[in-house]
Amino acid sequence: MNKQLKVLFIGTYVPKECGIATFTSDLLNSVSGENDDVHCEVIALNDPSETYNYPEEVVFQIEREKIEDYYRAADYINQSTVDIVCLQHEFGLFGGSAGDYIFALLSGINKPVITTMHTVIREPEPTYRASTENLIKYSEKLIVMSQTAVNMLKDVYNAPEDKIEVIFHGLPDYPFNDRGKYKKKLNLKGSPLVLTFGLLSQNKGIESMLEALPDVINQYPGLVYLILGATHPMVKKTQGEVYRQYLNNKVSELGLENNVVFHDKFVEKEELCNYVLASDIYASPYLSREQIVSGALTYAIGMGKAIISTPYWYAQEMLSENRGLLVDFGDTEGFKKSLLYLIENPEKCDYMRKKAYDFGRKMTWKNVGRGYNSVFSKARKKYTAHPTIQNRFSFLPNQLPEVKLDHLELLTDDVGIIQHTNLGVPARHHGYSTDDVGRALVALTQLIDSEAKAEELWKLIITYMSFLEHAQTDTGHFHNFMSYKREFLDETGSEDTLGRAVYGLGHVISCSYLSKNIRTLANNLVSKSGPEIENLSYPRAKAYAMCGLYEILRADVDAVEFGYIFNSRRGAVKSVDSYIEKDAFESIFVNHADSLVDLYETNHKEDWNWFEPTVTYSNAKLSESLLLAYNYTKDRTYRKIGLDTLDFLTEIQWRGDFFDLVGNHGWYSYDGQKPIFDQQPIEAGYLTQAYVLAYEIVRERKYLELAKYSFEHFLGRNRLRTVMYDYSTGAVCDGLNSDGMNCNQGAEPVICYLMALSSLNKHTNKPFGMAFQPKVCDGVAKEKEPAIYKSGKMR
């Protein structure tokens, strides 16, 4: 090889007590031991609550039933220097229906996948057929361990023949042995010594062998039947030791206590080999024909045992040409006759053993490792990324959607905006919120570019203004939640509620196409809120309020412009002392900007350019508010921190061709892992607005392109490649979850979508393209070294 080949194995792994874990470890050692230019690593699969002290080659862990881990593993693989992914596939290893969680990983990686199939089903149920077909689709090569498996893949699943390779199950290479030596080493008795080994489950069919023994033991009382192996962990978890107890009862019932020995333990490979080498006869009485591979039978063949087996698929093929004896499933008489035949015909028995041993030389791990390395090398040379990986967002439209208000209008009645829906149908029992109404005013006023448009949207704006006027408390704060019975459900809303109300009111005040009366009312409401705005303490509340105050300051609004401040009780002009003038608004605006700067200075680190130790919600609004502060004051400190924090949001969320937003399922702490799901549309909308503003300030093309890509989150440029926007109704789904899209279509997502669309529409004449390369998110703003992945946790 011209350069080192780096192979990443995915499967269970030692010290987990599992056949595939042992196989994966042996395969890794054979691949790396065969060639010094091969470097191997492992992604290990765990059951919930399992923890293992894995060896250093394990670089990442997946909790089997946690789909987020599969996505994170895909991210890790894409960021790594891995050349080949070698997947050990057994349906039960992976979570989901028929193990379909694994496709969250396979569908998202840009490396060639070589899949070892430990199970192939001849008559699959629909879910298992779909999983197998997807496995074929995502794999460059399928490695099976028998010709029977090849035929099934071609005949049942239409797998291309050139995609399939046969490489035998591996085994250690031992000389044709002296059984007495190993019996003595293990202090075992038995003449003959009959062995069945493997994790115990009902499918082993051991009762068939037990029922065959009494007549044999009558003739050969020195026979010992050793049943070696712990109960399968999954069986033990669900059924306990029911099967083992059944076998013990059967032994007592048949009077076999002196001839049957149970070793209830999981034995390591070297000890297992000693047991196999010590045995005279290996019995494999499985009850199921649908067994496409057996590691236990492979060991018995390669170590030259005389073998009696039921005719499951793998045994039929491996024991052909007189390499063993086949007995029908559950055929007690057949087992008895076969045992007697082998005991009473030692020359024929030895001939059978030698045939099996010679055939087993093809199966030694050295030959298996050589075969895998050949497949790996060819796959690396020929691999081209799957079309869905190369251009997975080709379905996106070339133009921005037209503004469509149908869904917002559907949610709006004569009171306000109903907060939530049930699958798109307004859910009245959720009532209304000031949070939605305030931001809806932003969305609508951004659409107004003429008196005609103002007239078109007049009824909605009047409804929302009426709601805010009613929601304002005596202190100037606002209630947030109102029931469908028109009863407020809180004494006062959160600070964010106040900020969002001011955000909307500021946009109303600055919209010159609206009537003087409605703008004056908005100014009255903001003026009354002055002391409350000044006393805000939460950063996002300040950011929202700053966005509203900026609109007031930008428009240079004061009482002179309106001529009067309307008094709803008397219809008279209020005293100038009853409202806050522009200078007071400016002071509050700057003070809040300075407090965000102080927050940033307190919490940011070299690799964490953020205001807080945790990235939570409405994140880009913080950056946007400081950029607005720069626009108004020209203080470059605001500009620098606004851009640095916005760039940080890019760094931790941009993945080269889509935004992987910080999910609300846990949020993202400096010393924690970034949550993948419960991604909210609000984050995409706010990113779009902030990027557009950054572009308008610094005129760097990358910000305009990032604005487009963040907006396209709504249209399908997201982790799940799911279109969240309904082109027919204008509705937007509530978020992305691990099980897909949240199909409820509430007020917040459509409002944030409209705000983002309006911001981007100002620059629709600018060409877009993937010409720039911002720093790609590594899932991890702060990756230090690969060891951080050992716990399955990406910092």
Side-chain angles (χ1 to χ4, degrees), residues 531-594:
E532 296 282 354
I533 302 171
E534 188 172 13
N535 292 325
L536 289 171
S537 59
Y538 288 97
R540 282 158 187 79
K542 294 177 181 180
Y544 280 120
M546 286 172 63
C547 292
L549 293 176
Y550 174 79
E551 291 298 311
I552 299 172
L553 297 171
R554 176 181 69 85
D556 199 24
V557 174
D558 58 27
V560 175
E561 178 181 351
F562 295 120
Y564 65 92
I565 301 296
F566 184 69
N567 184 311
S568 60
R569 185 171 64 83
R570 295 184 301 160
V573 176
K574 288 187 177 180
S575 151
V576 80
D577 294 333
S578 65
Y579 68 93
I580 297 179
E581 297 187 53
K582 175 184 172 182
D583 288 348
F585 283 145
E586 184 177 290
S587 175
I588 294 171
F589 179 80
V590 172
N591 286 341
H592 285 341
D594 289 341

Side-chain angles (χ1 to χ4, degrees), residues 312-422:
Y312 52 91
W313 293 329
Y314 188 68
Q316 278 186 306
E317 184 174 333
M318 295 298 116
L319 299 182
S320 62
E321 301 182 11
N322 203 30
R323 291 190 289 266
L325 300 178
L326 294 177
V327 176
D328 204 5
F329 301 101
D331 183 1
T332 299
E333 186 67 18
F335 279 110
K336 182 183 78 172
K337 289 179 179 178
S338 296
L339 282 168
L340 289 171
Y341 175 83
L342 292 174
I343 295 169
E344 295 171 353
N345 295 277
E347 290 183 2
K348 292 181 179 180
C349 180
D350 285 345
Y351 173 77
M352 187 183 298
R353 290 177 57 231
K354 192 65 167 65
K355 288 272 288 185
Y357 180 82
D358 290 344
F359 182 73
R361 295 316 90 211
K362 302 175 184 179
M363 302 175 169
T364 61
W365 279 118
K366 181 176 181 179
N367 288 325
V368 168
R370 188 175 297 149
Y372 271 86
N373 278 332
S374 175
V375 172
F376 293 159
S377 297
K378 291 175 183 176
R380 178 171 65 171
K381 290 176 183 176
K382 295 180 179 179
Y383 176 71
T384 55
H386 192 279
T388 59
I389 300 297
Q390 288 179 318
N391 192 13
R392 53 185 169 173
F393 299 114
S394 58
F395 60 86
L396 288 166
N398 293 323
Q399 296 181 326
L400 295 176
E402 294 183 357
V403 173
K404 196 173 187 66
L405 298 179
D406 298 33
H407 191 65
L408 183 62
E409 291 171 345
L410 176 70
L411 294 174
T412 302
D413 60 15
D414 61 345
V415 176
I417 308 172
I418 294 174
Q419 289 188 80
H420 301 295
T421 73
N422 187 348

Side-chain angles (χ1 to χ4, degrees), residues 134-145:
N134 274 327
L135 203 60
I136 295 167
K137 170 185 173 183
Y138 290 116
S139 301
E140 290 299 302
K141 285 286 185 180
L142 303 165
I143 294 178
V144 293
M145 304 178 205

Side-chain angles (χ1 to χ4, degrees), residues 211-260:
E211 290 168 357
L213 289 180
D215 288 346
V216 179
I217 289 170
N218 284 339
Q219 300 179 55
Y220 301 97
L223 181 149
V224 171
Y225 182 30
L226 173 60
I227 301 165
L228 174 65
T231 300
H232 195 290
M234 295 306 294
V235 173
K236 193 169 184 177
K237 186 179 293 186
T238 58
Q239 302 173 23
E241 295 286 7
V242 172
Y243 183 57
R244 185 179 294 276
Q245 188 57 50
Y246 164 75
L247 294 177
N248 276 309
N249 293 341
K250 178 73 71 175
V251 168
S252 298
E253 177 188 319
L254 296 171
L256 300 173
E257 292 93 336
N258 295 326
N259 299 88
V260 176

Side-chain angles (χ1 to χ4, degrees), residues 357-616:
Y357 180 82
D358 290 344
F359 182 73
R361 295 316 90 211
K362 302 175 184 179
M363 302 175 169
T364 61
W365 279 118
K366 181 176 181 179
N367 288 325
V368 168
R370 188 175 297 149
Y372 271 86
N373 278 332
S374 175
V375 172
F376 293 159
S377 297
K378 291 175 183 176
R380 178 171 65 171
K381 290 176 183 176
K382 295 180 179 179
Y383 176 71
T384 55
H386 192 279
T388 59
I389 300 297
Q390 288 179 318
N391 192 13
R392 53 185 169 173
F393 299 114
S394 58
F395 60 86
L396 288 166
N398 293 323
Q399 296 181 326
L400 295 176
E402 294 183 357
V403 173
K404 196 173 187 66
L405 298 179
D406 298 33
H407 191 65
L408 183 62
E409 291 171 345
L410 176 70
L411 294 174
T412 302
D413 60 15
D414 61 345
V415 176
I417 308 172
I418 294 174
Q419 289 188 80
H420 301 295
T421 73
N422 187 348
L423 299 177
V425 177
R428 296 177 177 179
H429 62 280
H430 286 295
Y432 316 88
S433 79
T434 293
D435 287 342
D436 292 333
V437 167
R439 288 176 293 185
L441 284 170
V442 177
L444 292 180
T445 53
Q446 286 181 330
L447 295 174
I448 297 175
D449 56 4
S450 66
E451 291 183 2
K453 180 59 74 172
E455 186 176 346
E456 178 187 334
L457 300 178
W458 180 249
K459 184 176 180 181
L460 289 174
I461 290 175
I462 286 293
T463 299
Y464 302 159
M465 284 297 299
S466 176
F467 184 94
L468 291 184
E469 195 274 338
H470 183 47
Q472 191 166 44
T473 68
D474 290 341
T475 66
H477 209 301
F478 290 85
H479 295 287
N480 191 14
F481 300 115
M482 176 189 278
S483 73
Y484 192 68
K485 296 179 180 179
R486 303 190 182 191
E487 297 172 344
F488 286 112
L489 303 176
D490 50 29
E491 290 187 12
T492 188
S494 67
E495 286 196 3
D496 280 4
T497 296
L498 174 61
R500 288 164 177 163
V502 173
Y503 185 23
L505 292 169
H507 277 78
V508 170
I509 292 169
S510 68
C511 184
S512 60
Y513 291 108
L514 292 176
S515 72
K516 186 176 290 186
N517 283 350
I518 199 71
R519 296 169 68 206
T520 300
L521 174 59
N523 196 61
N524 273 351
L525 299 180
V526 175
S527 295
K528 185 175 179 180
S529 296
E532 296 282 354
I533 302 171
E534 188 172 13
N535 292 325
L536 289 171
S537 59
Y538 288 97
R540 282 158 187 79
K542 294 177 181 180
Y544 280 120
M546 286 172 63
C547 292
L549 293 176
Y550 174 79
E551 291 298 311
I552 299 172
L553 297 171
R554 176 181 69 85
D556 199 24
V557 174
D558 58 27
V560 175
E561 178 181 351
F562 295 120
Y564 65 92
I565 301 296
F566 184 69
N567 184 311
S568 60
R569 185 171 64 83
R570 295 184 301 160
V573 176
K574 288 187 177 180
S575 151
V576 80
D577 294 333
S578 65
Y579 68 93
I580 297 179
E581 297 187 53
K582 175 184 172 182
D583 288 348
F585 283 145
E586 184 177 290
S587 175
I588 294 171
F589 179 80
V590 172
N591 286 341
H592 285 341
D594 289 341
S595 72
L596 292 181
V597 170
D598 292 342
L599 191 66
Y600 174 81
E601 295 295 348
T602 299
N603 289 297
H604 89 281
K605 298 176 174 62
E606 181 180 355
D607 54 353
W608 187 260
N609 282 323
W610 193 239
F611 300 94
E612 299 163 307
T614 302
V615 177
T616 57

